[in-house]
Amino acid sequence: MNNTFIIAELSANHNHNLKTAIDSIKAAASIGVDAVKIQTYTADTITLNCRKEDFMIRGGLWDGYNYYDLYKEAYTPWEWHEELFKVAREEGIIMFSTPFDNTAVDLLESLGNPIYKIASFEIMDTELIRYAASKGKPMIMSTGIATEEEIEDAIAACREVGNNDITLLKCTSEYPARIEDANLSMIPAMRERFGVNVGLSDHSMGSLVPTIAVSLGATMVEKHFILDREIGGPDSGFSMDLKEFALLVQNIRDTEKALGSPYFTLSDKVTNARKSGRSLYVAKDMKAGEIITRENVRSVRPGYGLPPKYLPLLLGKKVNRDLEMGTPMSFDYIAE
């Protein structure tokens, strides 16, 4: 099968240190991920600088934050983008971004951004989706809070501008997400329902959920990546560190190997192993003309004789020669 496209989401895990961001890209490249993703917004392009109750976060990882303050702390400075894309190219790894408004798309276009990702909480913004899709790049859209109708609308927005390169990501929009909320059975269901590739954007702890997703046909896996959780920051609590992410990559690649591909022809290894399987053997010395019974011809290991399914056909027939115990049975030994 084709390799799962593995994305290390950098998000806010640079803690506003450019060197940390650059080191993170290099580290991600070293463990075999396919791409690093960043996010392109400012506090002003994603929310309002407003202190009304609507703009306060209640509950969860960011309880007590004002949206504006959270995004001001979490954003990736736009003046870094050109340098980050350059580092990624030098490291031989794909870098792309999630834009949150049209000005972000314009910036990313100027930098040669190769893929556009739409975040779960923007999937209902069909104007943004349509504008990003109009650039003709592959579109990835997380569906964490989306209704079926909103997913349909998002896909339609892409197709309205001639973009059919669409991947939906099954996503649980909890930070961190509980395994019991993963609902991975939606991956094949979404593929069947919408007729597009389906992957996973995962916020659970560990690599169990992503590896199960791959076994269910996920073509893409996105996880938050941090060099070291000691760095801190808004997303550090549900991000995988370097060692954990390396194990995730290995687990996914091992899962791909284990899945293989569907076929009924036997590999050379299996063909060789069949020598230890069952077949028909002479179980007692026999004389020419003796009648075959279940006592003198038996199904035993190894597998050099006739397949066991032929025993009922042979019973009651005579052998045409003397046969020693331990002789693999053959049709050549049956009297006419």
Side-chain angles (χ1 to χ4, degrees):
M1 64 181 296
N2 293 330
N3 281 353
T4 309
F5 192 70
I6 302 175
I7 305 163
E9 163 69 81
L10 183 57
S11 185
N13 288 329
H14 45 67
N15 218 8
H16 280 269
N17 184 307
L18 177 58
K19 183 179 185 302
T20 299
I22 291 171
D23 289 346
S24 298
I25 295 168
K26 293 179 177 179
S30 75
I31 59 174
V33 306
D34 297 293
V36 173
K37 189 180 78 67
I38 58 175
Q39 299 183 8
T40 305
Y41 65 86
T42 67
D44 289 302
T45 65
I46 199 171
T47 191
L48 301 176
N49 189 3
C50 180
R51 302 289 159 173
K52 291 184 177 181
E53 183 59 26
D54 285 358
F55 292 83
M56 300 300 296
I57 300 172
R58 301 303 182 192
L61 187 64
W62 304 302
D63 182 47
Y65 265 98
N66 165 270
Y67 280 119
Y68 191 88
D69 292 340
L70 174 64
Y71 297 132
K72 191 172 182 180
E73 179 181 331
Y75 89 111
T76 299
W78 289 27
E79 59 269 23
W80 290 6
H81 279 46
E82 184 173 5
E83 177 68 14
L84 297 182
F85 274 87
K86 176 176 176 289
V87 170
R89 285 193 299 271
E90 291 171 350
E91 294 296 314
I93 192 171
I94 295 169
M95 170 167 278
F96 67 101
S97 186
T98 298
F100 289 81
D101 78 326
N102 288 6
T103 65
V105 174
D106 292 340
L107 171 67
L108 292 168
E109 276 296 291
S110 73
L111 298 172
N113 181 70
I115 302 168
Y116 283 104
K117 159 76 187 294
I118 302 299
S120 293
F121 294 93
E122 273 62 43
I123 196 166
M124 66 286 294
D125 190 344
T126 50
E127 182 179 359
L128 171 62
I129 292 170
R130 193 176 295 107
Y131 188 65
S134 72
K135 306 307 178 182
K137 311 289 178 57
M139 293 291 293
I140 303 169
M141 298 187 287
S142 280
T143 62
I145 63 165
T147 65
E148 184 177 5
E149 182 180 0
E150 286 168 340
I151 296 172
E152 290 175 341
D153 290 345
I155 292 172
C158 294
R159 290 177 171 161
E160 285 168 12
V161 291
N163 193 326
N164 293 298
D165 193 341
I166 302 165
T167 299
L168 298 176
L169 298 186
K170 173 65 184 74
C171 176
T172 303
S173 296
E174 299 172 2
Y175 310 90
R178 301 183 306 167
I179 289 176
E180 55 266 38
D181 293 331
N183 198 18
L184 294 179
S185 61
M186 282 295 291
I187 290 173
M190 288 167 64
R191 183 171 59 245
E192 176 71 19
R193 170 65 181 82
F194 299 109
V196 297
N197 288 327
V198 180
L200 174 73
S201 177
D202 182 46
H203 305 123
S204 70
M205 304 306 291
S207 56
L208 177 63
V209 170
T211 50
I212 294 173
V214 171
S215 74
L216 290 171
T219 60
M220 185 178 295
V221 167
E222 175 190 83
K223 288 276 281 187
H224 283 249
F225 170 64
I226 191 167
L227 274 177
D228 186 333
R229 274 189 289 274
E230 293 300 316
I231 293 171
D235 296 344
S236 59
F238 58 91
S239 298
M240 301 185 95
D241 66 23
L242 182 60
K243 184 177 179 180
E244 293 165 339
F245 216 105
L247 180 60
L248 169 68
V249 173
Q250 186 60 55
N251 286 343
I252 289 175
R253 298 307 179 216
D254 286 345
T255 299
E256 292 168 343
K257 292 174 186 176
L259 286 171
S261 57
Y263 61 87
F264 289 102
T265 56
L266 301 183
S267 67
D268 291 342
K269 287 182 179 179
V270 174
T271 299
N272 189 58
R274 283 176 59 82
K275 295 174 184 177
S276 296
R278 282 188 173 254
S279 67
L280 299 180
Y281 269 80
V282 176
K284 295 181 179 179
D285 290 345
M286 300 178 69
K287 296 294 184 182
E290 191 172 340
I291 293 173
I292 297 174
T293 68
R294 291 186 182 276
E295 286 69 41
N296 56 27
V297 174
R298 291 173 52 201
S299 168
V300 297
R301 295 183 181 187
Y304 296 97
L306 287 172
K309 70 178 182 178
Y310 290 115
L311 181 57
L313 182 65
L314 299 182
L315 291 174
K317 296 187 182 297
K318 296 179 180 180
V319 296
N320 59 16
R321 69 193 72 183
D322 292 348
L323 295 171
E324 289 184 355
M325 187 267 285
T327 301
M329 199 59 194
S330 167
F331 285 126
D332 293 339
Y333 306 153
I334 306 304
E336 293 294 336

